[in-house]
Amino acid sequence: MHLHLIRIVALHEIRTVFRSKMPFILYSILLAMLLLAGFVGWNYVSKFNAQQARYTTEVQDNWMNQPERHPHRVAHYGYLVFREKAPLSFFDFGLDSYVGNSVFLEAHRQNTVNMSEAGFSNGMLRFGELSMALVLQLLVPLFIIFLGFATVAGLKQNGVLKILLCQKASYFDILAGKTAGLVAVTWLLFLPLILAALIGGAVLLQNEINAELLLRSGLILFVYAVYFLIITMIVTGVSAMSKNASNALIMLVLGWMVCFIVIPKSAQTLGSSLYKAPDKIAFEQAIEAEVRKEGDSHNPDDPHFAALRANTLKKYGVDSVHKLPVNYGAMVMQEGERITSGIFGTQFNKLIETYQAQNAVSVILGFFDPYLPLRNISMQLCGVDFDTFSEFQKQTEQYRFDKTTLINKIHLTQISYENDRAQKVAQSNWQQMPPFEFRPVPLAATIYNAKWSLIALLFWLVAGAAALGFISSQRKFQL
Amino acid sequence: MLEANNLTKKYGDYTALNNLNLTIGKGEIFALLGQNGAGKTTTINLFLGFVEPTSGVASIDGLNVATHAEETKTRLAYIPETVMLYPNLTGLENLEYFSSLAGFSYEAGQLAGFLDTAGLQSSAHGNRLGGYSKGMRQKVGIAIAIAKKAKVLLLDEPTSGLDPKASNEFSEILKTLSASGTAILMATHDIFRAREVATRIGIMKEGNLQSVTEAGAISANELEQLYLKTV
Amino acid sequence: MKISSKLLHLEVRNFFREKTVRWAIAGLVLFGLYSFYHGKNVIGSQLATISSIPSVQKTHLQHIAEEGKGKSVGTTAYYPFFYTANYPSPWASFSIGQRDVNAFSLKIKILGIEGQLYDSELTNPLTLLVGNLDAAFVFIFLFPLLIIAFTYNTVSQEQEHGVWRIVETNAPSLLTIIFIKLLVRFSAVVLTASIVFLTGVLLLGLPFSGPTFQLFLVIVCYLLFWFLLCAFVISLGKSSSFNATALVSCWIFLCMLFPGIANVLISGQIAIPEALETTVKQREGYHAKWDLPKKPTMETFYAAYPQYRKYPVPENEYSPGWYYAMQYAGEVEARESAGQLFDKLAQRQALAEQIGIFNPVIYAQQMLNRIAATDLTNHIEYLQSVKRYHKQLREFFYPPIFENEQTEHLDWTSYPKYQPEAAAMNAGNAPVWPLIVWSVLAGLSAILLLRRNFIQHTRRQNA
């Protein structure tokens, strides 16, 4: 390996690329798309968040301005939580369009997060929405393919490779130099744009910049840089293995199809057939059955609630629920809430685990397809991944449970058992409840969740270099 | 058969061929010698109709190539420096394909006969062309010309890259063809082969035909001296 | 133009002997088989869910009726869910369309309908994001790539390898030769498509009826378009790598960029905040009623159901009749924004279809979804039918509620059953003229350019 020779080859490659017209045309198209996608994404997120904030305020105001009400009415009046998009979600839309945007929180009932944007789409999109991440993940590799498919194969065709190999540079030097030159061009063309978009967009959305955001942007920049390098190594390698440029092009485009369309789609099919997730009806049936088993608050003869009654009566030393100093109805309700919430939590965690197991297939396949780990890491760093979404579900459920518990407590202590329905309590009781605030997955946890994808990406880096080394050692690839 | 009248081809300011006057009769083999860029290939391309003359007329069998492209095409056959045919078809199938293109419909036996005449060993007829040597492909090219019953044969450096034996065989086949009345124009660098095969030899320089010599009237050495002096 | 059968025969041999051709065909057939498996899988599990409904519904109602003993229907009617299902058409497994994103089964209570329409099925969002590899995907997105692979070097490779010169000196008509070459390639594509399609018909059990033939017609016209687009690019007379680059760029533009931009345009033009708006409104409308005098609420209800005026509703205490009237009144208040939502969804679909006319990829996709009844239109129809069903259910329960009947006196099996829409099961009309128009345009320009670049190219060189 001769570093200065690699540099000479690389510089020559850069000059060659900048001299031809085609890269320029392709880059202008990609640039236009990136700017368009960035603008559209940013605009959408800012409008969306403004809209969600408006509804959040409206719902919170309505909540605060409730007149005197019976606590159980308040429990059923419920609360609506509107999901806001993460600051970097304008860059990578990730799962955002496919997960619900609002959830209705009420007593007794665990509602799922509903109303995703995809629900009202018309099926035009089969490759996802036009986001900056989509362009960078799918189209920049294609750009690198068009830039570099002939880089070695073309030299074979016109015999220049033989002349080159007669000079001092080894075949590996040539391949390394070609890779370096191509990736330098790609980095130069795209990385500054990514950084500017990430930081500029996030600052404009939030009006502030914090260390975490900078760190996330830096990491995104790093993984995309690594990704472009991996793709470039593959392109150079395939070009070096091909007899002529058009063979290389066909192979690369075919590989692109397989890695970017076929494997990602089949990974999910494989995942969902390996780990069967229940449909909604089955999921709810399972919960209902378990709740029935645990204790049925509607049934006066239910052993669980009979025991609760006996214990309570004993505790207060009275012989009838009517004589209790607290509202026994509220106590039953809270007990029911505790049971259903616990069962729902367990079932829901099981469902999430099933989905995670399904998604793990794409993490493992990341060792066969470099697109998958990058896609996953990018979503995770932008806060539009599965973990963020399930975190949202969990936090809203926790918030629902806390809120209902508090309301039941008011019911327990401030409403007497007799003539329960006719009583009301003051507004101040629920005005002290804090509004919902989503706590996003912290960066350290994100990185921990992304560990296998990161390892896969590094694996590709090492494997790419090793492959170039192997190809350069084979005589048949020099002809 | 082949006739050039004041034939000139210019590319902008550059004159590729200047005022060529030449007649090649039936059964005659005319060899064009000259350095690279002397105008040999331009001459052939003008007769093929691949390029149009700036002025003057190239005609085949009395028909102007530029105005009667279709008719002249049926009368000529062309063999480039390297005959590249369809690698996935056999020699026989290639011959069948091209002769069908030219409007002929031969029996399998006839086709094999043409390949035999062109000197391709029968064991190779059914093999795919991808595995042929350069000489073998050249022979399929000749067979295509024979099958087409071409009155005129245009050859662009047909013997370059052939081994001496293949080159010799090739010359023999050309002689047979000319004996049956075909007019042949070949551009070549091979002075000795040219003197041996051709009836007349022309030497070109910078688009001009400098001299024309009867091949029988000159020795190989004299021809080489003449060539070196001219170019 | 006379085409000798011998020439055709040899061209076929020449083409199919290429190893990459056979690989590509085998690959597409494999993708096809996989897509049938996938479609069958997705729709099969939806059908399994749907078929579990009757027994779930039965036990659910039994439990409700059991627990409600001794209470009035007015109290018990609050609890039961009634299940509905959007039954897949027989062609849904061929083109899954929006069936994975939109709920195919909704359960409703006789409370206000609006909040209940947008419940989504539980699905792994990542699975939704990567989307389906169904048969429609194979035909719409992968077959064009096969066509590109078959055609991009049709003439250019022969020019690059030097055969073309010999062809030129031999062929009386180059157009005929180019036509033969394209004909062989197109036949190969159509043959592959037919085999894959027929396999699909058998594996997916598609009925041999109109819609199946319509699917095939749309596909063939669509493939013809791509083929002629390729012919157009070839006719420019550029190199193989230029052709490949240009055609793959066309593919990316038509399949990814154009739809992406169109989607942005559509959602920008017709924004849908109504779904949230409706939910918030109905909730407020309904809950405010609790603290308002009961009279106006009852009047809203009586406007639609005057026959219940005769039942007394006490002003100062809770009564079931008033409770359900309140639910109804909340629904009425949300009706306007709900109507807007449906209008906008219909507008979205209409705009998408207009845009589709300018992009054969989108158009063909829409037609396949329409034939398979898996598009947004179908989902809207389903939601409308659920709304109608909700009305039937309410009206079934109003008499016993107002009569203050006991739960055990009501026949809990005589409730109205959900009838799947007849219209939703019928395949829509799928005209192919836009595909034909685009094909003709591409084909005509291809012929013109072929004449210019291949037939008269000697003259041009001179100019």
Side-chain angles (χ1 to χ4, degrees):
Chain A
M1 210 165 100
H2 307 83
L3 278 178
H4 71 283
L5 293 178
I6 294 178
R7 228 186 96 229
I8 293 171
V9 176
L11 286 174
H12 178 256
E13 187 72 16
I14 295 172
R15 242 175 276 136
T16 320
V17 169
F18 280 119
R19 237 173 244 167
S20 62
K21 234 190 295 173
M22 202 187 64
F24 179 73
I25 296 170
L26 288 176
Y27 179 65
S28 341
I29 298 171
L30 284 185
L31 184 67
M33 285 175 47
L34 277 171
L35 294 177
L36 179 76
F39 173 73
V40 167
W42 185 85
N43 200 27
Y44 186 75
V45 172
S46 73
K47 271 192 187 155
F48 182 89
N49 280 353
Q51 172 199 307
Q52 297 294 82
R54 203 174 62 239
Y55 284 121
T56 303
T57 322
E58 191 181 330
V59 165
Q60 175 68 14
D61 285 351
N62 287 339
W63 174 266
M64 298 299 272
N65 294 330
Q66 286 183 92
E68 289 189 349
R69 274 177 174 167
H70 186 282
H72 198 59
R73 280 243 6 255
V74 175
H76 276 290
Y77 173 67
Y79 197 77
L80 274 158
V81 168
F82 299 91
R83 198 171 58 86
E84 283 200 24
K85 289 181 190 283
L88 292 179
S89 64
F90 73 91
F91 175 80
D92 189 339
F93 299 168
L95 302 179
D96 252 9
S97 303
Y98 296 90
V99 297
N101 293 325
S102 75
V103 58
F104 181 52
L105 309 176
E106 60 178 325
H108 317 316
R109 230 185 130 178
Q110 290 79 14
N111 294 305
T112 45
V113 183
N114 278 330
M115 300 212 202
S116 68
E117 281 127 295
F120 296 128
S121 66
N122 38 49
M124 235 186 224
L125 299 173
R126 293 299 293 263
F127 291 98
E129 291 156 293
L130 189 62
S131 68
M132 289 186 85
L134 179 90
V135 176
L136 293 167
Q137 289 172 9
L138 263 68
L139 299 187
V140 170
L142 215 50
F143 173 76
I144 300 176
I145 288 175
F146 286 132
L147 214 62
F149 73 92
T151 189
V152 184
L155 297 186
K156 284 190 197 178
Q157 257 172 307
N158 57 26
V160 176
L161 185 64
K162 281 182 193 155
I163 302 172
L164 268 179
L165 286 171
C166 294
Q167 316 302 319
K168 203 179 157 200
S170 71
Y171 196 20
F172 184 77
D173 292 338
I174 294 169
L175 296 187
K178 293 268 178 193
T179 308
L182 286 173
V183 84
V185 172
T186 316
W187 280 352
L188 196 70
L189 293 180
F190 294 103
L191 291 189
L193 200 68
I194 297 178
L195 191 67
L198 283 175
I199 294 187
V203 167
L204 283 173
L205 270 178
Q206 295 196 313
N207 287 323
E208 57 151 10
I209 185 86
N210 53 40
E212 165 148 353
L213 208 69
L214 276 178
L215 218 56
R216 278 182 190 261
S217 305
L219 279 170
I220 292 173
L221 196 70
F222 172 73
V223 291
Y224 275 91
V226 170
Y227 177 63
F228 294 156
L229 177 57
I230 291 168
I231 302 289
T232 312
M233 288 198 289
I234 295 173
V235 171
T236 314
V238 171
S239 184
M241 286 194 293
S242 305
K243 284 241 173 317
N244 56 55
S246 82
N247 270 356
L249 184 63
I250 293 287
M251 281 306 296
L252 286 166
V253 171
L254 210 71
W256 182 87
M257 272 174 62
V258 171
C259 288
F260 291 84
I261 299 170
V262 179
I263 295 184
K265 282 181 193 284
S266 7
Q268 285 312 116
T269 317
L270 182 65
S272 32
S273 30
L274 283 180
Y275 305 98
K276 282 266 179 248
D279 56 56
K280 195 165 194 172
I281 294 179
F283 179 73
E284 286 168 348
Q285 289 303 307
I287 293 176
E288 209 182 305
E290 229 176 298
V291 170
R292 245 171 242 290
K293 211 170 67 193
E294 187 77 22
D296 187 351
S297 60
H298 292 287
N299 187 351
D301 307 324
D302 182 88
H304 183 90
F305 285 93
L308 176 72
R309 190 205 321 245
N311 287 339
T312 315
L313 291 178
K314 206 169 130 196
K315 188 177 156 198
Y316 289 98
V318 291
D319 56 2
S320 156
V321 292
H322 297 269
K323 292 180 187 159
L324 283 172
V326 290
N327 189 324
Y328 181 66
M331 193 177 280
V332 169
M333 252 184 309
Q334 179 57 26
E335 182 60 12
E337 196 68 57
R338 195 188 59 79
I339 293 171
T340 50
S341 182
I343 290 168
F344 179 85
T346 323
Q347 290 286 344
F348 190 73
N349 283 343
K350 236 161 74 185
L351 183 72
I352 294 292
E353 274 163 26
T354 311
Y355 288 161
Q356 274 166 342
Q358 291 178 353
N359 298 345
V361 172
S362 77
V363 176
I364 294 164
L365 284 177
F367 288 93
F368 300 91
D369 177 354
Y371 161 66
L372 289 174
L374 178 86
R375 182 198 70 186
N376 295 341
I377 299 171
S378 176
M379 285 199 291
Q380 282 163 324
L381 286 173
C382 291
V384 290
D385 59 324
F386 187 78
D387 296 316
T388 305
F389 171 63
S390 61
E391 196 54 39
F392 180 76
Q393 290 246 6
K394 280 182 192 162
Q395 287 184 23
T396 51
E397 169 56 17
Q398 186 60 44
Y399 181 72
R400 186 197 73 81
F401 183 73
D402 292 345
K403 207 162 192 147
T404 311
T405 307
L406 206 62
I407 291 171
N408 282 339
K409 208 167 168 189
I410 297 166
H411 195 165
L412 186 76
T413 52
Q414 298 185 31
I415 300 281
S416 62
Y417 194 68
E418 298 302 327
N419 201 14
D420 186 315
R421 266 190 178 167
Q423 303 169 51
K424 287 178 179 176
V425 295
Q427 298 181 300
S428 59
N429 278 297
W430 40 84
Q431 282 181 346
Q432 48 188 301
M433 293 178 188
F436 175 77
E437 204 158 332
F438 178 60
R439 296 177 306 280
V441 183
L443 184 57
T446 301
I447 292 173
Y448 180 77
N449 290 338
K451 61 182 180 299
W452 282 109
S453 296
L454 282 167
I455 292 171
L457 214 55
L458 294 178
F459 159 80
W460 272 97
L461 204 56
V462 176
L468 286 185
F470 174 76
I471 292 166
S472 65
S473 72
Q474 298 292 304
R475 286 202 178 282
K476 63 177 173 187
F477 294 139
Q478 300 186 358
L479 293 170
Chain B
M1 270 288 115
L2 270 164
E3 204 175 336
N5 280 318
N6 303 324
L7 195 59
T8 302
K9 177 68 192 174
K10 286 183 181 170
Y11 292 103
D13 286 340
Y14 173 71
T15 308
L17 186 66
N18 186 25
N19 207 23
L20 176 74
N21 284 294
L22 179 69
T23 312
I24 302 167
K26 241 177 152 181
E28 208 182 342
I29 303 182
F30 192 95
L32 273 180
L33 291 175
Q35 280 180 297
N36 293 327
K40 305 188 297 292
T41 303
T42 305
T43 309
I44 289 184
N45 281 344
L46 281 163
F47 277 115
L48 283 170
F50 285 162
V51 290
E52 218 184 353
T54 313
S55 65
V57 175
S59 55
I60 287 174
D61 209 6
L63 294 164
N64 187 341
V65 175
T67 54
H68 298 78
E70 293 277 293
E71 293 95 321
T72 51
K73 243 194 220 178
T74 61
R75 288 166 169 79
L76 62 82
Y78 165 67
I79 298 172
E81 181 182 345
T82 2
V83 177
M84 292 301 299
L85 300 166
Y86 294 109
N88 283 326
L89 297 180
T90 65
L92 208 58
E93 285 169 342
N94 265 296
L95 176 60
E96 190 182 8
Y97 182 82
F98 283 101
S99 57
S100 311
L101 268 187
F104 293 95
S105 183
Y106 291 113
E107 307 281 315
Q110 286 174 294
L111 290 169
F114 296 132
L115 286 175
D116 289 336
T117 314
L120 186 72
Q121 66 269 37
S122 3
S123 59
H125 290 187
N127 295 344
R128 290 205 195 173
L129 198 97
Y132 281 21
S133 70
K134 188 173 177 181
M136 289 161 83
R137 293 204 302 266
Q138 216 78 328
K139 284 169 185 168
V140 180
I142 297 278
I144 291 171
I146 300 172
K148 203 180 170 186
K149 301 199 164 64
K151 292 180 176 171
V152 171
L153 185 57
L154 298 161
L155 304 154
D156 201 352
E157 317 215 356
T159 55
S160 81
L162 290 188
D163 64 68
K165 182 165 174 283
S167 181
N168 184 50
E169 279 172 16
F170 191 77
S171 307
E172 292 307 313
I173 296 163
L174 286 191
K175 280 181 186 162
T176 324
L177 281 177
S178 76
S180 64
T182 315
I184 299 174
L185 171 64
M186 62 186 273
T188 183
H189 288 303
D190 190 339
I191 296 173
F192 300 97
R193 193 61 68 192
R195 201 199 68 85
E196 202 182 292
V197 183
T199 43
R200 281 191 296 159
I201 298 162
I203 302 177
M204 292 189 83
K205 188 193 176 187
E206 288 163 4
N208 291 301
L209 183 61
Q210 300 284 5
S211 64
V212 177
T213 324
E214 293 286 333
I218 194 165
S219 75
N221 262 343
E222 285 165 344
L223 182 60
E224 189 177 10
Q225 288 309 315
L226 179 65
Y227 178 80
L228 290 174
K229 211 166 69 193
T230 315
V231 302
Chain C
M1 199 151 39
K2 209 179 104 244
I3 297 163
S4 108
S5 64
K6 202 182 268 179
L7 268 185
L8 207 58
H9 181 72
L10 284 165
E11 187 60 49
V12 168
R13 241 188 261 180
N14 193 9
F15 177 67
F16 279 102
R17 276 186 193 165
E18 191 65 52
K19 229 190 264 161
T20 44
V21 166
R22 283 176 292 176
W23 272 106
I25 292 179
L28 256 275
V29 171
L30 280 180
F31 288 149
L33 289 177
Y34 174 80
S35 75
F36 303 139
Y37 163 76
H38 178 83
K40 223 180 159 137
N41 202 12
V42 170
I43 299 299
S45 69
Q46 292 194 353
L47 276 172
T49 303
I50 292 173
S51 68
S52 75
I53 287 179
S55 71
V56 168
Q57 180 79 72
K58 206 175 145 208
T59 32
H60 176 67
L61 286 180
Q62 272 169 0
H63 281 303
I64 297 284
E66 189 67 29
E67 282 158 7
K69 270 187 187 151
K71 295 176 192 149
S72 69
V73 171
T75 309
T76 314
Y78 172 83
Y79 297 103
F81 283 113
F82 293 90
Y83 290 87
T84 68
N86 187 8
Y87 290 84
S89 78
W91 301 275
S93 52
F94 189 90
S95 183
I96 297 170
Q98 297 300 93
R99 277 195 76 90
D100 60 336
V101 176
N102 292 326
F104 61 89
S105 166
L106 287 171
K107 60 181 198 309
I108 48 169
K109 284 186 171 188
I110 60 165
L111 310 179
I113 182 70
E114 290 311 332
Q116 309 186 54
L117 283 178
Y118 314 110
D119 237 14
S120 46
E121 177 57 38
L122 288 176
T123 22
N124 186 343
L126 189 60
T127 308
L128 293 181
L129 171 69
V130 299
N132 293 304
L133 209 167
D134 57 357
F137 187 89
V138 171
F139 282 108
I140 303 280
F141 297 99
L142 299 187
F143 259 90
L145 289 169
L146 180 80
I147 298 176
I148 292 173
F150 278 2
T151 49
Y152 80 101
N153 61 2
T154 303
V155 180
S156 53
Q157 191 182 34
E158 295 186 13
Q159 285 175 329
E160 281 146 25
H161 287 183
V163 199
W164 195 245
R165 300 219 107 182
I166 304 182
V167 174
E168 275 183 305
T169 55
N170 279 284
S173 158
L174 286 178
L175 262 189
T176 314
I177 277 301
I178 297 174
F179 179 76
I180 289 177
K181 284 181 183 297
L182 292 178
L183 185 71
V184 168
R185 281 154 179 79
F186 185 59
S187 313
V189 170
V190 171
L191 198 72
T192 315
S194 309
I195 292 170
V196 175
F197 188 82
L198 199 68
T199 321
V201 169
L202 296 176
L203 289 181
L204 296 175
L206 304 188
F208 282 97
S209 60
T212 304
F213 294 110
Q214 261 190 316
L215 281 179
F216 190 65
L217 181 68
V218 169
I219 287 169
V220 170
C221 291
Y222 175 72
L223 295 182
L224 180 70
F225 159 75
W226 268 101
F227 196 81
L228 291 173
L229 180 69
C230 290
F232 168 74
V233 171
I234 291 167
S235 69
L236 296 173
K238 297 283 169 77
S239 70
S240 298
S241 9
F242 173 88
N243 290 350
T245 313
L247 285 169
V248 171
S249 304
C250 282
W251 185 85
I252 291 172
F253 176 75
L254 291 175
C255 298
M256 298 171 81
L257 299 188
F258 187 111
I261 295 168
N263 189 59
V264 168
L265 274 179
I266 291 175
S267 40
Q269 282 286 306
I270 308 170
I272 305 191
E274 275 79 8
L276 292 176
E277 184 75 39
T278 310
T279 319
V280 174
K281 264 219 175 113
Q282 175 175 285
R283 173 166 160 271
E284 288 305 322
Y286 154 71
H287 278 278
K289 304 275 179 304
W290 277 87
D291 308 305
L292 294 175
K294 300 192 169 54
K295 188 101 177 65
T297 306
M298 292 315 294
E299 282 308 320
T300 316
F301 180 74
Y302 293 146
Y305 300 102
Q307 64 268 40
Y308 297 107
R309 208 179 267 280
K310 60 183 180 193
Y311 299 101
V313 171
E315 183 60 52
N316 51 4
E317 78 176 283
Y318 174 90
S319 65
W322 167 65
Y323 178 79
Y324 292 100
M326 225 165 30
Q327 292 285 349
Y328 174 79
E331 194 181 308
V332 169
E333 261 169 53
R335 207 169 262 172
E336 193 188 338
S337 56
Q340 275 175 10
L341 172 67
F342 277 77
D343 286 348
K344 286 200 173 173
L345 288 180
Q347 278 173 29
R348 269 195 176 185
Q349 183 65 14
L351 184 58
E353 281 176 14
Q354 279 163 17
I355 289 176
I357 291 177
F358 298 99
N359 182 340
V361 177
I362 296 179
Y363 187 80
Q365 175 73 66
Q366 284 169 341
M367 289 308 111
L368 295 189
N369 286 349
R370 187 191 282 185
I371 295 169
T374 53
D375 55 359
L376 184 60
T377 311
N378 169 270
H379 187 64
I380 296 173
E381 279 168 11
Y382 170 61
L383 292 184
Q384 304 275 28
S385 83
V386 173
K387 274 190 165 182
R388 281 193 292 277
Y389 179 56
H390 178 258
K391 186 164 179 273
Q392 286 182 337
L393 282 172
R394 277 191 293 125
E395 289 169 358
F396 170 76
F397 279 104
Y398 286 155
I401 289 171
F402 280 92
E403 288 285 355
N404 214 4
E405 244 176 66
Q406 286 298 99
T407 302
E408 51 268 42
H409 295 149
L410 184 72
D411 178 6
W412 285 86
T413 55
S414 66
Y415 66 95
K417 310 289 181 297
Y418 175 74
Q419 299 295 334
E421 282 293 284
M425 300 294 288
N426 281 342
N429 179 36
V432 291
W433 64 263
L435 296 174
I436 300 284
V437 168
W438 281 107
S439 303
V440 167
L441 280 179
L444 283 180
S445 358
I447 290 175
L448 282 177
L449 284 169
L450 276 175
R451 280 187 183 284
R452 206 184 75 166
N453 293 335
F454 289 95
I455 312 308
Q456 306 170 337
H457 89 137
T458 46
R459 269 158 216 147
R460 286 199 57 228
Q461 272 190 3
N462 191 44

